[in-house]
């Protein structure tokens, strides 16, 4: 059974399945009692390397129930497992006892699609292999299919669960964690991405400790506070070396992720639905598919983990024509004008933008209904003819005549109480009869679990997109859910609302993006409140944060890059003093930060001096020169803004012959030596040349580094290297 040939090696007599790809293996076993066990996830092993020996698990003295010691792959309630169940079921007798036993297993080529859900995909069946393991609870008739896919080249693994009720009584799904992975150790650190509005996805690393550590969102969106991602790493792992195990949930709604250390100092990492706001009634003959979790193991530290996530999400999660295309340099009028604009002001901004080489004009909030502030008109997606007398079609034509593409902001999931839509359909929002409808930003959320609301959104968005030659849409969503118990659902189904909303949203997004395949969609949620793999499946880029301050952006972009590719991150140059922090950073550094993302401007260009406009034009030319490298190159985090006064990252082309090094300072330190930055991922025996003609040997750049002179607060430099032979 040895050898490294097939992604999934089956050892029928030992009842083990070894999923291998890249440098990784993941091993499953079915024991003599037909329980599905997890034997291993880590560096690659041959298929016959591991077998199950009960003696490893049951020492001669144990006062605990044996099942608690087992490395269960799908822990369930009721017979000795005391943590969060991977599959939690309340049966019609009212008890939670579940007993999943193995029935059969099947290896499939490629990766089956998850209908109605965002998911990683293959482009040809030989990229990956899948394993479908069938388990059954005889008493209730619950059948669970645990679906695994392993990518041949990278070793990335996807897990999801299909639950079917083959019994004759309804079942209630009370917990669903599509990944629940045991580790035989606890000498590990945990990494998660914590934040808040305007300071999303900061890297937090903390030692794993006894007890349970949990992150979650119950907000109905993945949220600003936590990201649906959790990683474990060896204590000595750093950006470049050591073992890291990462789990990323391909979902945009509420979630939970936890790390639990049990009495035997074994650790379990779980991620999935948040049971506080999720349950699902499964009638006989009904089925339920969970969203999937992506598991990536890296033996090359955090950079290695991120690079694998980037490659997978960039090329096998993002879809459509924009996946592999250069993204346009844009100007967005939000921070430049807020609601205070008319067509003349927009066109004069567009004219200036066109002059400096901008390619896309994005008209943000305020173009519709009577929206001159954020207290009305969401839902009334007809143009405000006082601001834009000729309508959207004519404005789009004028933008195109200036040589610019034209894009529009929409917030289709929302309704303002002061709107014609709300007056016509007051029952269409999330609400609970007899209770106040909690407002946030003066708005309510449409109940996307309702089919008629989904159809309304599809039709209204389609009609806006057909009314003008639109090239881009910014799809915003600016508040969290309250009263999230759909009026249409029966009491025992009320906790399905949030998930039904997500399924409705995914249906809407699938329909709209398929109907307008040329349009570039950018997701947004009060900045980065829904920056997750689920949204990336429908929209190839996401607005990273409402914080556009360049110094803060270093942390934002660095933290976001732990999971998400640079091609996903919107990054804009905005005005100074910055509207969120009051900080003033030079145009050079604002540009050098935004260049490491989907570049745009978000300021009134009329406020720039002649010299600054010349600088802005040069910046745009620079963006166009390097944007394919920043979009598709390998991203290396070199110096962390969380650790010191300097930040550095680089982009290395696939052939390793082109490199962009970006270095930034925040608060300058007196009497400090010039900074030395060691590059990574170069060809060691090749000479690289900078644009000013300096030559450096690849190995020397990696081992001795390059001296970078930065002076003053918030200085920065970009160095572009090309292989010289
Ligand atoms: C929140 C977004 O993050 C901003 O960029 C802007 O589009 C506003 N909404 C508009 O209301």
């Amino acid at each position: 059974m040895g050898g490294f040939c097939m992604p999934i090696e089956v050892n029928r007599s030992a009842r083990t399945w070894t999923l291998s790809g890249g440098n990784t293996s993941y091993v499953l076993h079915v024991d003599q009692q037909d329980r599905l066990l997890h034997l291993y996830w880590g560096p690659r092993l041959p298929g016959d390397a591991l077998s199950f020996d009960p003696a490893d698990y049951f020492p001669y003295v144990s006062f605990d129930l044996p099942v608690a010691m087992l490395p269960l792959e799908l822990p369930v309630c009721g017979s000795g497992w005391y943590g969060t169940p991977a599959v939690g079921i309340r049966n019609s007798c009212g008890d939670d006892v579940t007993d999943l036993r193995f029935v059969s297993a099947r290896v499939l080529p490629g990766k089956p699609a998850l209908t109605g859900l965002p998911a990683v995909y293959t482009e040809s069946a030989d990229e990956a292999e899948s394993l479908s393991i069938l388990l059954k609870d005889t008493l209730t008739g619950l059948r669970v299919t645990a679906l695994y896919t392993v990518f041949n080249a990278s070793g990335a693994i996807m897990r999801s669960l299909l639950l079917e009720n083959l019994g004759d009584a309804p079942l209630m799904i009370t917990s669903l964690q599509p990944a629940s992975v045991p580790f035989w150790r606890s000498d590990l650190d945990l990494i998660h991405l914590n934040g808040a509005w305007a300071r999303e996805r900061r890297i937090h690393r903390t030692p794993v400790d006894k007890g349970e550590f949990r992150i979650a969102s119950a907000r109905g969106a993945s949220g600003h506070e936590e990201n649906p991602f959790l990683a474990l790493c060896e204590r000595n792992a750093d950006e470049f070396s050591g073992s890291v195990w990462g789990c990323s949930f391909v979902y945009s709604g509420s979630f939970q992720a936890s790390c639990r250390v049990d009495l035997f100092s074994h650790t379990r990492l779980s991620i999935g639905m948040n049971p506080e706001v999720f349950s699902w009634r499964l009638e006989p003959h009904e089925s339920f598919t969970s969203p999937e979790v992506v598991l990536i193991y890296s033996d090359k530290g955090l950079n290695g983990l991120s690079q694998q996530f980037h490659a997978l999400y960039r090329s096998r999660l993002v879809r459509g024509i924009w996946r592999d295309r250069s993204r346009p340099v844009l100007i967005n009028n939000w921070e430049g004008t807020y609601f205070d604009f008319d067509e003349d002001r927009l066109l004069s901004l567009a004219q200036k933008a066109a002059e400096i080489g901008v390619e896309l004009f994005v008209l943000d909030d305020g173009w519709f209904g009577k929206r001159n502030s954020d207290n009305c008109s969401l839902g009334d997606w007809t143009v405000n003819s006082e601001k834009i007398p000729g309508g959207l079609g004519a404005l789009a034509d004028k933008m195109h005549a200036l040589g610019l593409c034209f894009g529009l902001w929409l917030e289709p999931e929302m309704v303002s109480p002061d709107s014609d839509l709300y007056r016509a359909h007051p029952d269409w929002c999330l609400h609970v009869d007899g209770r106040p409808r909690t407002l946030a930003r003066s708005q309510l959320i449409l109940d996307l679990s309702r089919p008629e609301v989904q159809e309304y959104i599809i039709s209204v968005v389609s009609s806006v997109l057909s009314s003008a030659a639109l090239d881009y849409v910014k799809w915003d969503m600016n508040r969290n859910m309250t009263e999230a118990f759909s009026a249409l659902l029966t009491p025992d189904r009320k906790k399905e609302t949030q998930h039904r909303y997500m399924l409705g949203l995914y249906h809407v997004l699938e329909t709209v993006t398929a109907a307008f395949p040329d349009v570039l969609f950018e997701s947004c949620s009060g900045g980065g409140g829904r920056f997750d793999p689920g949204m990336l499946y429908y929209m190839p880029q996401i607005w990273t944060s409402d914080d556009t301050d360049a110094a803060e952006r270093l942390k934002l972009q660095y933290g976001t890059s732990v999971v998400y590719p640079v091609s996903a991150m919107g990054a804009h140059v905005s005005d100074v003093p910055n509207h969120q922090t009051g900080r003033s950073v030079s145009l050079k550094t604002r540009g050098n930060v935004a260049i490491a993302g989907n570049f745009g401007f978000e300021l009134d260009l009329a406020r720039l001096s002649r010299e600054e406009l010349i600088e802005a034009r040069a910046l745009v030319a620079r963006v166009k020169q390097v944007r394919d490298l920043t979009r598709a190159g390998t991203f290396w985090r070199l110096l962390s803004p969380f650790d010191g006064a300097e930040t550095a990252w680089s982009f290395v082309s696939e052939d390793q012959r082109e490199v962009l090094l970006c270095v930034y300072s925040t608060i300058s330190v007196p009497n400090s030596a010039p900074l030395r930055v060691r590059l990574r991922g170069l060809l060691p025996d090749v000479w690289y040349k900078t644009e000013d003609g300096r030559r450096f040997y690849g190995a020397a750049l990696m081992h001795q580094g390059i001296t970078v002179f930065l002076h003053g607060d918030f200085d920065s430099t970009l160095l572009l290297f090309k292989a010289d032979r």
Side-chain angles (χ1 to χ4, degrees):
M1 290 298 298
F4 283 172
C5 38
M6 294 304 290
I8 300 180
E9 290 179 66
V10 184
N11 186 333
R12 284 183 207 291
S13 54
R15 300 219 286 184
T16 61
W17 292 264
T18 303
L19 287 62
S20 298
N23 295 325
T24 305
S25 291
Y26 187 101
V27 186
L28 295 163
H29 169 73
V30 171
D31 74 1
Q32 287 187 337
Q33 284 80 48
D34 291 335
R35 294 174 296 209
L36 182 62
L37 303 182
H38 175 95
L39 296 193
Y40 179 79
W41 177 29
R44 190 163 182 149
L45 298 173
D48 55 1
L50 291 177
S51 57
F52 177 68
D53 181 353
D56 288 341
Y57 297 86
F58 303 117
Y60 65 99
V61 181
S62 171
F63 297 102
D64 215 86
L65 286 169
V67 78
M69 306 187 72
L70 284 171
L72 298 164
E73 178 74 0
L74 290 177
V76 286
C77 281
S79 46
W81 167 259
Y82 300 108
T84 306
V87 179
I89 299 289
R90 178 144 312 149
N91 59 44
S92 57
C93 298
D95 70 72
D96 292 353
V97 181
T98 309
D99 187 12
L100 288 179
R101 303 281 165 163
F102 174 80
V103 177
S104 63
R106 205 156 56 99
V107 174
L108 316 160
K111 180 175 191 292
L114 298 186
T115 313
L117 286 166
V120 169
Y121 59 89
T122 51
E123 283 204 328
S124 69
D126 57 2
E127 288 179 359
E129 219 169 41
S130 297
L131 173 67
S132 159
I133 297 190
L134 221 65
L135 303 115
K136 198 173 167 193
D137 178 25
T138 311
L139 193 66
T140 59
L142 172 71
R143 187 163 76 174
V144 175
T145 305
L147 186 66
Y148 299 81
T149 297
V150 57
F151 271 67
N152 224 331
S154 66
I157 289 166
M158 286 95 236
R159 285 180 57 162
S160 63
L161 296 168
L162 167 69
L163 272 55
E164 295 164 283
N165 184 353
L166 305 184
D168 46 23
L171 299 172
M172 190 67 90
I173 307 171
T174 56
S175 169
L176 203 52
Q177 309 298 305
S180 175
V181 187
F183 294 77
W184 268 22
R185 56 193 289 192
S186 60
D187 55 337
L188 298 163
D189 283 351
L190 241 177
I191 296 171
H192 62 113
L193 302 174
N194 173 276
W197 173 79
R199 45 186 165 82
E200 296 92 336
R201 292 173 298 285
R202 305 201 155 183
I203 303 173
H204 284 258
R205 181 167 175 164
T206 174
V208 163
D209 207 349
K210 291 272 191 213
E212 186 156 357
F213 174 91
R214 177 177 181 265
I215 58 167
S217 164
R219 296 166 178 272
S222 48
H224 297 89
E225 269 184 308
E226 289 291 349
N227 200 256
F229 164 80
L230 202 55
L232 285 175
C233 65
E234 288 178 326
R235 292 255 154 94
N236 62 359
D238 59 20
E239 281 284 12
F240 310 106
S241 65
S243 284
V244 192
W245 297 262
C247 304
S248 163
F249 192 30
V250 186
Y251 192 56
S252 313
S254 298
F255 72 96
Q256 74 166 16
S258 67
C259 171
R260 178 169 179 263
V261 178
D262 69 14
L263 65 167
F264 307 111
S265 292
H266 294 165
T267 303
R268 181 173 287 269
L269 196 60
S270 316
I271 189 164
M273 308 302 287
N274 182 346
E276 288 167 359
V277 287
F278 168 80
S279 67
W280 195 276
R281 184 181 162 98
L282 206 57
E283 296 291 342
H285 313 299
E286 281 185 355
S287 64
F288 181 94
T289 305
S290 80
E292 73 180 11
V293 174
V294 176
L295 302 178
I296 289 185
Y297 166 76
S298 157
D299 59 1
K300 298 188 178 58
L302 259 174
N303 263 303
L305 181 89
S306 303
Q307 288 164 2
Q308 286 198 53
F309 271 118
H310 296 174
L312 186 74
Y313 284 175
R314 199 170 53 215
S315 64
R316 292 294 179 271
L317 180 65
V318 168
R319 301 172 299 164
I321 60 160
W322 286 100
R323 186 187 79 179
D324 301 321
R325 272 202 197 165
S326 308
R327 307 291 164 76
V329 173
L330 65 81
I331 183 152
N332 176 307
N333 72 309
W334 178 242
E335 287 196 18
T337 68
Y338 294 107
F339 293 103
D340 180 19
F341 61 82
D342 58 16
E343 181 167 314
D344 289 346
R345 187 157 183 215
L346 297 176
L347 287 171
S348 103
L349 184 55
Q351 172 76 46
K352 280 212 150 46
E355 281 164 18
I356 59 170
V358 168
E359 298 161 309
L360 163 67
F361 187 97
V362 179
L363 173 52
D364 210 280
D365 196 352
W367 59 267
F368 54 93
K370 44 189 175 61
R371 188 149 165 108
N372 293 314
S373 79
D374 63 9
N375 64 5
C376 70
S377 297
L378 294 171
D380 296 345
W381 301 108
T382 46
V383 74
N384 178 331
S385 51
E386 280 171 29
K387 289 181 174 177
I388 305 169
L392 282 181
L395 182 58
D397 294 345
K398 288 175 194 166
M399 293 290 176
H400 289 143
L402 288 172
L404 293 169
C405 294
F406 182 53
L408 204 61
W409 178 96
L410 287 165
E411 196 179 0
E413 297 162 64
M414 298 291 152
V415 62
S416 307
D418 181 5
S419 68
D420 293 341
L421 178 68
Y422 190 74
R423 284 182 280 273
H425 297 286
D427 56 326
W428 274 12
C429 66
L430 287 173
H431 69 278
V432 168
D433 283 335
R435 301 219 177 254
R437 299 174 178 200
T438 306
L439 292 173
R441 209 191 187 208
S442 309
Q443 64 200 55
L444 295 164
I445 305 188
L446 289 172
D447 180 357
L448 268 79
S449 73
R450 297 168 71 136
E452 73 271 35
V453 172
Q454 296 162 22
E455 292 320 307
Y456 155 78
I457 294 178
I458 290 169
S459 101
V460 82
V461 171
S462 304
S463 92
V464 172
L465 288 184
S466 309
S467 72
L470 289 173
D471 307 290
Y472 163 105
V473 165
K474 178 176 174 187
W475 185 294
D476 205 350
M477 195 285 277
N478 279 305
R479 59 157 292 182
N480 296 136
M481 289 184 191
T482 51
E483 294 87 40
F485 300 93
S486 181
L488 290 195
L489 296 174
T490 51
D492 51 355
R493 287 193 178 273
K494 290 281 186 202
K495 266 176 88 175
E496 296 175 14
T497 305
Q498 286 205 6
H499 185 59
R500 285 185 182 273
Y501 180 106
M502 293 319 302
L503 296 177
L505 175 63
Y506 290 150
H507 165 63
V508 168
L509 292 176
E510 182 69 39
T511 310
V512 171
T513 54
F516 297 93
D518 297 335
V519 172
L520 172 60
F521 284 84
E522 178 155 345
S523 175
C524 175
S525 178
R530 211 162 54 178
F531 204 122
D532 57 63
M535 294 318 278
L536 269 184
Y537 182 70
Y538 302 97
M539 314 202 213
Q541 54 191 61
I542 304 179
W543 181 224
T544 311
S545 175
D546 274 344
D547 190 343
T548 56
D549 171 68
E552 287 297 305
R553 278 272 165 168
L554 293 174
K555 289 182 186 150
L556 279 158
Q557 290 170 211
Y558 194 98
T560 303
S561 79
V562 169
V563 185
Y564 304 99
V566 164
S567 61
M569 296 182 216
H572 297 174
V573 170
S574 62
D575 208 351
V576 285
N578 178 267
H579 296 187
Q580 293 79 39
T581 62
R583 188 177 286 135
S584 288
V585 173
S586 67
L587 181 56
K588 177 180 91 169
T589 292
R590 280 178 279 155
N592 285 348
V593 175
I595 210 168
N598 294 316
F599 183 93
F601 290 100
E602 191 166 327
L603 75 177
D604 185 356
L605 291 173
R607 285 170 49 82
L608 297 192
S609 65
R610 220 177 75 81
E611 293 68 36
E612 284 173 323
L613 279 173
I614 292 169
E615 197 180 338
R617 185 183 301 127
L619 182 56
V620 172
R622 184 63 145 172
V623 172
K624 291 177 183 171
Q625 180 194 16
V626 299
R627 66 180 159 189
D628 287 332
L629 179 57
T630 57
R631 179 180 52 79
T634 304
F635 182 73
W636 287 92
R637 290 182 301 268
L638 302 173
L639 291 173
S640 169
F642 298 100
D643 291 346
E646 284 97 12
T647 302
W649 53 53
S650 68
F651 301 86
V652 179
S653 64
E654 200 185 341
D655 64 4
Q656 296 165 282
R657 297 180 68 79
E658 202 179 351
V659 184
L660 178 69
L661 172 66
C662 312
V663 190
Y664 313 89
S665 67
T666 48
I667 302 299
S668 78
V669 179
N671 192 21
S672 51
L675 183 63
R676 271 201 100 72
V677 182
R678 286 199 299 281
L679 280 84
R680 298 278 173 162
L682 309 187
L683 295 166
D685 51 359
V686 160
W687 286 91
Y688 290 85
K689 204 170 168 184
T690 55
E691 287 162 296
D692 59 6
R694 290 181 292 156
R695 288 175 86 244
F696 298 89
Y697 195 58
L701 279 174
M702 291 195 287
H703 301 304
Q704 203 209 18
I706 182 169
T707 303
V708 177
F709 294 96
L710 297 176
H711 188 66
D713 294 346
F714 314 120
D715 195 10
S716 63
T717 189
L718 300 187
L719 287 168
L720 186 62
F721 301 81
K722 288 197 174 154
D724 195 26
R725 72 173 167 79

